[in-house]
Amino acid sequence: ELPDIVIKVLKSLESKFGSSPTGTGHKLLPPCIRIIQGDGIDIDSLGVILQKMKDEGFAADNLAFGSGGALLQKLHRDTNK
């Protein structure tokens, strides 16, 4: 599941590069380390991923979302349907 994959990547990066707490106590990776997630993103998955990150103690600033067809129009890349 996508939220679990994002958490797995965050934990892997944190183990390699460390993290620091934000003002709200969430874990933030070093400034040069971020994740770009574009595959599988739609309006519903955004909240699910962000909630999972919050539950696991990670700051939203660790992640940037792509805004492809699924986010805007729910089009399939190959069929445009």
Side-chain angles (χ1 to χ4, degrees), residues 32-76:
C32 61
I33 308 293
R34 294 293 183 265
I35 298 171
I36 299 172
Q37 179 63 47
D39 191 40
I41 298 300
D42 62 26
I43 195 68
D44 297 320
S45 66
L46 287 170
V48 174
I49 293 168
L50 289 170
Q51 184 62 53
K52 181 74 172 180
M53 289 175 65
K54 181 179 179 182
D55 294 345
E56 295 285 335
F58 285 99
D61 283 347
N62 289 306
L63 186 62
F65 291 103
S67 58
L71 186 59
L72 300 174
Q73 302 163 341
K74 199 69 169 171
L75 292 176
H76 186 276

